[in-house]
Amino acid sequence: MVEENKQEKFSPSGLGETIFKERYARNSDETWEEACRRVASHIADAETNGKVNKYAEKFYEELVSNRFMPGGRIWYGAGRPKGQLLNCFVIPVDDSREGWGKMLYDTTVISGLGGGIGANYSKPRPRGFAIKGTGGVSTGAVSAMKMQDGIANELRQGGGRRAALMQCLNINHPDLEEFLHVKLDRQELENANISVVLNMPTEEFVRLVQEDGDIILEFNGLPTGETLKAKEVWETLVTNAWNSGEPGVLNGHLANKMNNIAYYEELISTNPCGEIWLGAYDCCDLGAIVLPRFVFDGEFDWDLFDASIRLAVRFLDNVLDVNHFPLPEIQEKCHLNRRLGAGVMGLHTMLLKLGLRYDSEEGFAFVNKLLEFYKNVAYDASCTLAAEKGPFPGFDREKYLQGGFAKTLKRGIRNKIKAHGLRNCALMTIAPTGTTSMVSGVTSGIEPLFAPVYWRRYRVSDEKGRDQKKQELVITDEFKEFGEIAVGAYDIPVEAHFEMQKIVQSHIDNAVSKTINLPKEYPLENLSDIWLKYLDSCKGTTIYRQGSRGEEPLEHIPVAEAKKIIEEQGIVFEGGTNFAELNSLECVGGVCDIPDLAEIASV
């Protein structure tokens, strides 16, 4: 592949073009190239010493070739007056009327500017606890959640952007049972994702579950005299996640164990999608490397990848200097920490182009190598920026290098941090990248394809106005090109989903957003066992069982069944290729580790 071909301009097409025009273009006439110029120029304005034009051009090249895809708020806000370019924030909820009032104010302002919000409600005193000075008693943490949810309702009904909320509670808070009951049984808190925060050592919690021990309930660090059975709590969490996809579990103990700035800040909650653990008033500054853009003739271009990582780090660091912040507390915290969320998208698309099945040992090994490379290059780039522009203000050389994640870096990078400091307290995340990956025409984040072949169900009206149910067979381009190695989310063994998240999380300083997809008939007891097994490896876990939220417009078709349907219908793909010919082409380089389909179905 000649060098100039690696610089080819990208242009969204189909649904991607529609999303780009509706969500990210300044107006319907703005082209992809014009939008890339707009964003690149705005972000390059943070540069000094005569470097604005240089980096405006470099950023433009990364964007127009679609090697780097900034978060949606950056696309939308760049170049606009007072553009708010950050996706999500975490706000505190203090144990006072004033604290609740501030939380409601913060929610209104941030949501009104399009930001998502995460909040941990473990500081408010439990329901029934006395309030000194008034003679009254507390209405509890759930009351504060309902108030925030009410603001989200008003924003939605007023026609504004739907508020995105994460509401979480520590597993040893006395209001835990009420929290779960209100959301899962009474169907309240409908505007929020909810999660339980594991704020004790993971091994201790697993032991309590296995030995039917007690969780000692606490408020403000002191026991209340009440307990909950750990096994019953866990069974409730697993059963409800199996039934409805909620609650998630956030491993706060692991997040803070690996927190490089634990010497001055505790991480209290994630953002709504769970990809970044944050302290109070910190932010998500998101962008993703588009991995398939680095595969040429079945080979991965590591040098090009290295260069793009370095530009992505500089780009996102600049965002913090040109952004218009919704609250002064957020501006202060973001400049103190300079936390970035550089991630990836199109991981599954990339693996297919390399001839690797998503859940194969070769696939896992390549992802492990890729993310370790990414991690060390990103930290090296942040060291270089620190030497040029100064380290983040909260940086303490000795204390930082004692952080859990810092110890996973190569010795050379650690020595460079010691010499020059670090520009950003943390650099990497794995976000869902939903619509931005659609614009790029690749798979989302580190997720696999939903399904290589599926039924799309819809309703149409006949000539008498009566609704008729219809369905059509959809065969994805990935299946047409790569055949049986293009497995879907429900073709992949459940443990392989966990294993992929574990591998990726080991190289990510923030967190990983990934869905653990379960086939419809997946046994509940199997989920309990495998979730406990991987609990100490993931900073957050989200489960979704096929069909658990009612009828779905898209129905996954297992690979074996899809093959049979295609052969029976005599479907011929573009260019005249039939399924038998396709299978002879699918194992690029002979690296297709395909397990028996019956074995997959039995997992």
Side-chain angles (χ1 to χ4, degrees):
M1 180 70 65
V2 294
E3 185 65 27
E4 55 266 25
N5 286 342
K6 294 185 180 182
Q7 309 301 326
E8 286 181 354
K9 293 178 181 178
F10 169 81
S11 183
S13 60
L15 177 60
E17 183 180 20
T18 300
I19 293 171
F20 164 71
K21 290 288 189 182
E22 291 181 352
R23 295 198 178 197
Y24 303 134
R26 175 178 282 174
N27 53 57
S28 60
D29 295 326
E30 186 179 48
T31 67
W32 169 256
E33 291 184 33
E34 289 169 342
C36 291
R37 283 286 183 198
R38 166 174 57 86
V39 173
S41 296
H42 185 82
I43 305 306
D45 280 344
E47 296 292 342
T48 57
N49 299 325
K51 296 179 180 179
V52 171
N53 291 338
K54 171 184 175 180
Y55 281 101
E57 189 61 29
K58 285 181 174 291
F59 293 157
Y60 169 74
E61 290 174 3
E62 288 300 300
L63 300 183
V64 79
S65 62
N66 196 229
R67 291 193 293 267
F68 175 65
M69 190 70 172
R73 299 306 303 169
I74 297 173
W75 281 107
Y76 178 82
R80 298 177 187 268
K82 298 183 178 181
Q84 201 291 98
L85 312 180
L86 306 177
N87 284 65
C88 297
F89 310 86
V90 161
I91 60 175
V93 187
D94 291 330
D95 183 37
S96 66
R97 291 186 180 90
E98 294 80 8
W100 288 23
K102 185 66 166 70
M103 176 271 292
L104 297 174
Y105 171 81
D106 294 346
T107 298
T108 303
V109 173
I110 294 170
S111 296
L113 291 173
I117 300 169
N120 187 318
Y121 285 80
S122 300
K123 277 191 175 181
R125 67 194 64 196
R127 179 178 292 278
F129 270 48
I131 301 176
K132 294 180 180 180
T134 68
V137 295
S138 171
T139 55
V142 175
S143 292
M145 297 180 194
K146 289 180 178 179
M147 293 169 76
Q148 187 188 43
D149 188 63
I151 290 176
N153 268 331
E154 293 303 317
L155 289 172
R156 183 179 62 179
Q157 292 172 9
R161 181 182 172 93
R162 184 181 184 275
L165 304 176
M166 166 65 79
Q167 295 180 333
C168 59
L169 194 70
N170 290 350
I171 200 165
N172 61 354
H173 192 281
D175 288 344
L176 180 70
E177 289 184 297
E178 180 188 3
F179 172 54
L180 296 175
H181 170 68
V182 165
K183 172 71 175 186
L184 304 175
D185 300 330
R186 291 171 50 183
Q187 303 297 304
E188 298 185 57
L189 306 179
E190 61 179 3
N191 297 289
N193 295 327
I194 70 163
S195 288
V196 173
V197 176
L198 189 62
N199 63 321
M200 63 176 67
T202 315
E203 59 273 17
E204 178 185 345
F205 176 73
V206 172
R207 179 184 61 78
L208 290 174
V209 171
Q210 294 173 340
E211 297 178 3
D212 199 21
D214 293 328
I215 298 173
I216 299 172
L217 302 183
E218 297 180 359
F219 170 65
N220 204 21
L222 299 174
T224 64
E226 302 173 292
T227 62
L228 289 174
K229 284 292 184 182
K231 186 175 182 180
E232 292 179 6
V233 170
W234 180 246
E235 288 175 349
T236 298
L237 297 181
V238 174
T239 300
N240 281 291
W242 189 87
N243 281 326
S244 67
E246 288 191 280
V249 173
L250 300 177
N251 194 333
H253 174 74
L254 176 61
N256 279 290
K257 178 182 175 183
M258 301 302 288
N259 176 17
N260 288 333
I261 57 171
Y263 56 90
Y264 72 84
E265 179 166 67
E266 179 186 11
L267 305 178
I268 59 174
S269 175
T270 70
N271 66 319
C273 292
E275 71 263 25
I276 294 191
W277 273 90
L278 299 168
Y281 292 118
D282 211 348
C283 69
C284 300
D285 178 8
L286 302 178
I289 300 287
V290 187
L291 294 174
R293 306 293 179 248
F294 302 89
V295 180
F296 301 95
D297 296 329
E299 298 291 333
F300 194 84
D301 190 324
W302 295 97
D303 291 337
L304 187 63
F305 188 45
D306 183 301
S308 289
I309 293 169
R310 294 177 189 278
L311 282 169
V313 168
R314 191 177 193 109
F315 180 102
L316 293 176
D317 185 70
N318 282 3
V319 166
L320 297 173
D321 292 324
V322 301
N323 185 59
H324 177 75
F325 293 89
L327 296 168
E329 297 94 333
I330 292 175
Q331 181 172 0
E332 180 181 355
K333 178 59 69 67
C334 289
H335 285 162
L336 173 69
N337 293 344
R338 305 196 69 86
R339 184 185 298 274
L340 308 185
V344 299
M345 66 168 65
L347 181 137
H348 194 187
T349 308
M350 173 201 69
L351 289 174
L352 290 172
K353 287 179 175 291
L354 292 170
L356 299 172
R357 182 174 161 128
Y358 184 92
D359 55 347
S360 66
E361 290 302 318
E362 293 89 347
F364 289 149
F366 187 84
V367 170
N368 185 60
K369 177 182 178 181
L370 179 94
L371 270 297
E372 184 173 25
F373 182 92
Y374 193 161
K375 169 181 66 177
N376 285 297
V377 172
Y379 269 79
D380 188 73
S382 187
C383 288
T384 301
L385 275 180
E388 177 185 343
K389 299 183 176 184
F392 70 93
F395 179 72
D396 181 299
R397 183 172 284 98
E398 298 303 322
K399 292 178 180 177
Y400 187 90
L401 288 170
Q402 294 303 310
F405 189 81
K407 293 178 180 178
T408 72
L409 300 169
K410 289 167 52 176
R411 180 179 296 179
I413 303 297
R414 289 171 55 81
N415 289 339
K416 193 169 182 179
I417 292 173
K418 186 177 293 187
H420 301 292
L422 201 64
R423 181 67 172 168
N424 315 97
C425 79
L427 289 118
M428 300 174 66
T429 189
I430 301 296
T433 70
T435 53
T436 52
S437 62
M438 292 179 187
V439 172
S440 299
V442 301
T443 50
S444 174
I446 63 166
E447 301 287 0
L449 288 167
F450 162 69
V453 182
Y454 57 90
W455 293 113
R456 184 174 76 88
R457 294 197 169 90
Y458 56 98
R459 294 177 182 272
V460 296
S461 296
D462 62 16
E463 65 278 2
K464 296 183 178 180
R466 295 172 298 192
D467 272 356
Q468 300 287 323
K469 290 185 177 180
K470 297 284 186 179
Q471 70 176 19
E472 65 174 338
L473 184 70
V474 178
I475 305 172
T476 64
D477 291 340
E478 289 86 355
F479 194 70
K480 293 175 183 177
E481 183 174 357
F482 302 107
E484 288 187 58
I485 66 166
V487 290
Y490 297 111
D491 299 311
I492 295 169
V494 173
E495 184 157 2
H497 281 287
F498 276 104
E499 187 65 22
M500 180 64 81
Q501 184 167 349
K502 175 184 177 180
I503 290 168
V504 173
Q505 183 64 82
S506 69
H507 300 299
I508 298 293
D509 46 13
N510 287 303
V512 172
S513 177
K514 168 149 179 42
T515 300
I516 306 298
N517 296 96
L518 309 180
K520 189 171 184 178
E521 305 303 326
Y522 190 77
L524 181 62
E525 58 274 17
N526 288 18
L527 175 59
S528 177
D529 292 342
I530 198 169
W531 200 347
L532 281 177
K533 175 181 175 181
Y534 282 91
L535 195 61
D536 66 346
S537 304
C538 302
K539 293 181 182 178
T541 320
T542 301
I543 305 295
Y544 182 74
R545 183 174 61 88
Q546 186 179 14
S548 61
R549 293 192 176 181
E551 185 177 357
E552 298 171 345
L554 306 181
E555 181 186 347
H556 157 267
I557 302 175
V559 170
E561 183 181 339
K563 178 180 175 180
K564 183 178 179 181
I565 293 171
I566 292 169
E567 289 176 335
E568 287 176 348
Q569 294 188 11
I571 295 173
V572 177
F573 301 143
E574 185 177 351
T577 304
N578 63 28
F579 196 87
E581 292 169 332
L582 178 70
N583 281 342
S584 69
L585 301 173
E586 68 194 16
C587 292
V588 180
V591 285
C592 299
D593 180 18
I594 304 176
D596 183 81
L597 290 168
E599 180 182 332
I600 294 175
S602 68
V603 175

